[in-house]
Amino acid sequence: MDNRTSDMCTWLWIAFNEFLGYAFQVEAVTSEQFASYTNEARTVFSSVMEQQAERVADLAPVKQFFRGLQVLLETQEARLGELQARNSGYSVADSKEAIGFSKKGYICLKNGVALQAVAAYYRRLGRDFTVSESSLRKALADSGCIIPKDQKSYIHRLSVNRESYQCVKFEKSKFYQLLRGGKNETEYDGEVPSDRAVRKNADALLGR
C-alpha cells in the first residue's frame, strides 16, 4: 500500500475517533450512537485502505512487465518498428519481427507478442511471469497507462505492410516514463548497455 495513503487514513481515523470521543463527553451523542458511528467509520477507513492495497497489487505486474521490456529493448532482443504512413495503413521494415510500433506521439505494442517476449525473458532468469494478457491489459487500463479504443475496448487495430495487428496504445511520453521505472524521460536512446549493466539488472530482478 502507498504509505502516504495509509498514513492519511490512520490520521483521519484518529481525528474522527477523538471527535466522537469529545461528542460523547459533552453528551452530543448517546453511547449507542457513539458505538454505531465508530463501527461505521472503522468500516469506511478499512475499505479505503483495502482498495488502495488492491490498486498497488494490480500495478505489480505492470512494473514487472516494463522492467523486462526495458532490458529486451536495451539489448535489442526486441524492437519497435518506426511506422511510415501510406495511403492505406502504414509500412515498416520487418513488421512481423517487431513487438510493437512507434508513430508520432504514440507507441503501440502488439497484443500477445510483447507479453510473450517478456515472459520468455523471465523464464531465462528462472522466474515465472504468468500474468494473462487480459489481466495485464486490465492493470494497464485501471492505472491509466493505455488509451482506450472506445468505451468497451482497449484493443486497437493497425494495418502495417498490409497485415492487420491488434495492439494496445500508449502515449509515447507515458510509455517511456513506464519504461524508465517512472522517471519522467520521454525518449529512448536505444544504446546497448554493457554486459555488467545487464547482469546487474538481472541480479536485481532475482533479488541477489
Side-chain angles (χ1 to χ4, degrees):
M1 176 185 297
D2 188 326
N3 289 334
R4 290 174 298 180
T5 302
S6 178
D7 290 345
M8 183 181 297
C9 285
T10 300
W11 282 111
L12 284 173
W13 162 249
I14 292 172
F16 188 72
N17 200 44
E18 288 291 326
F19 171 75
L20 280 179
Y22 174 76
F24 180 68
Q25 287 179 1
V26 299
E27 299 182 347
V29 295
T30 65
S31 58
E32 290 81 6
Q33 289 174 319
F34 176 82
S36 176
Y37 293 149
T38 298
N39 290 333
E40 185 177 353
R42 184 182 292 112
T43 299
V44 170
F45 288 121
S46 295
S47 176
V48 171
M49 295 175 76
E50 288 173 3
Q51 290 175 22
Q52 180 65 16
E54 290 174 357
R55 288 185 62 193
V56 173
D58 286 342
L59 284 175
V62 172
K63 291 180 179 179
Q64 292 175 17
F65 173 75
F66 275 95
R67 196 172 297 166
L69 187 60
Q70 179 189 21
V71 175
L72 293 176
L73 290 173
E74 287 183 343
T75 58
Q76 297 183 358
E77 292 181 67
R79 70 176 194 83
L80 299 170
E82 190 72 33
L83 294 179
Q84 302 295 323
R86 293 294 181 263
N87 291 334
S88 58
Y90 297 90
S91 68
V92 66
D94 301 324
S95 59
K96 293 183 179 180
E97 286 73 19
I99 65 166
F101 307 106
S102 173
K103 62 177 183 174
K104 187 175 182 181
Y106 300 101
I107 297 291
C108 299
L109 292 183
K110 288 181 182 177
N111 193 44
V113 175
L115 178 59
Q116 291 171 13
V118 171
Y121 164 73
Y122 277 107
R123 281 197 298 272
R124 295 204 307 269
L125 296 178
R127 294 187 60 185
D128 290 329
F129 185 69
T130 57
V131 178
S132 68
E133 188 75 37
S134 58
S135 296
L136 178 63
R137 188 164 57 247
K138 183 179 185 303
L140 288 166
D142 289 348
S143 54
C145 297
I146 54 178
I147 300 170
K149 178 181 180 296
D150 50 44
Q151 293 182 345
K152 297 182 178 180
S153 176
Y154 282 85
I155 299 295
H156 298 257
R157 291 186 180 274
L158 277 180
S159 177
V160 182
N161 295 353
R162 298 184 179 179
E163 297 278 349
S164 180
Y165 295 98
Q166 292 185 348
C167 303
V168 289
K169 188 176 182 180
F170 301 78
E171 288 185 2
K172 185 172 285 190
S173 59
K174 181 66 175 180
F175 177 83
Y176 286 116
Q177 184 180 358
L178 290 164
L179 199 67
R180 300 297 190 185
K183 296 179 182 178
N184 191 22
E185 298 180 33
T186 59
E187 293 299 328
Y188 171 67
D189 54 27
E191 292 182 359
V192 180
S194 67
D195 291 342
R196 178 182 177 186
V198 174
R199 286 198 302 273
K200 182 178 179 182
N201 198 315
D203 288 343
L205 290 172
L206 291 169
R208 296 192 294 208

